[in-house]
Amino acid sequence: MTPSVHPQAPLPTPTVPAVRLLRASLVTVWLGTAVVSAITHRTQGDALLRQAGLSDDLWIQALIWGGAAADLLMGLALWRWPGRYSAWAALALMGVMTLTATVLLPHLWLDPLGSLLKNLPIAAILVVLATQHEPTQTTSTA
């Protein structure tokens, strides 16, 4: 007897309020990360990069402030231009940052608070948002 093959049903389209909530949460993550990076640049950020084997103060600060700036710009882009291009850009930026963190500090994948593991559901949200059909804007003349 051969098993029957059932085509997989398409995923339901998220409602407009759900999409807005997902986008708002992502904006909060990126802007919040930028602020936290700026506040803790001499403590946590510095310590993490030194743990990774970096020792040059200028290079460490450049990485921290560059990451904070990227987070800030990405948060603003997701807020100002909420669409598939911003979602794909956020996914690409997160991929680069995750890959960099994996190379420098692979043990963060095992962090009990999920430092890098949290990027997996964020990536899924970004893919959903990036592949959503965006309704075209129409103006009424009524």
Side-chain angles (χ1 to χ4, degrees):
M1 204 178 198
T2 60
S4 62
V5 177
H6 299 285
Q8 186 175 6
L11 294 174
T13 302
T15 63
V16 171
V19 168
R20 286 186 182 145
L21 178 63
L22 291 174
R23 286 193 175 128
S25 68
L26 292 174
V27 167
T28 302
V29 166
W30 260 275
L31 294 180
T33 302
V35 170
V36 169
S37 294
I39 291 170
T40 65
H41 72 99
R42 286 284 183 199
T43 56
Q44 292 176 355
D46 190 90
L48 274 174
L49 291 174
R50 288 187 189 283
Q51 193 179 65
L54 300 175
S55 59
D56 183 281
D57 287 334
L58 186 60
W59 183 236
I60 288 171
Q61 290 305 307
L63 285 173
I64 292 169
W65 287 106
D71 287 336
L72 175 66
L73 293 173
M74 194 71 262
L76 292 173
L78 286 166
W79 171 65
R80 177 65 181 92
W81 299 286
R84 65 180 45 145
Y85 296 116
S86 292
W88 285 124
L91 186 63
L93 176 60
M94 189 184 72
V96 168
M97 290 180 155
T98 302
L99 180 62
T100 302
T102 299
V103 168
L104 293 175
L105 299 157
H107 71 275
L108 290 180
W109 282 101
L110 302 176
D111 180 8
L113 298 178
S115 296
L116 292 179
L117 203 54
K118 292 175 187 172
N119 288 350
L120 297 177
I122 293 173
I125 292 169
L126 287 166
V127 168
V128 167
L129 293 177
T131 57
Q132 286 297 298
H133 172 61
E134 295 174 16
T136 55
Q137 297 280 343
T138 57
T139 56
S140 71
T141 57

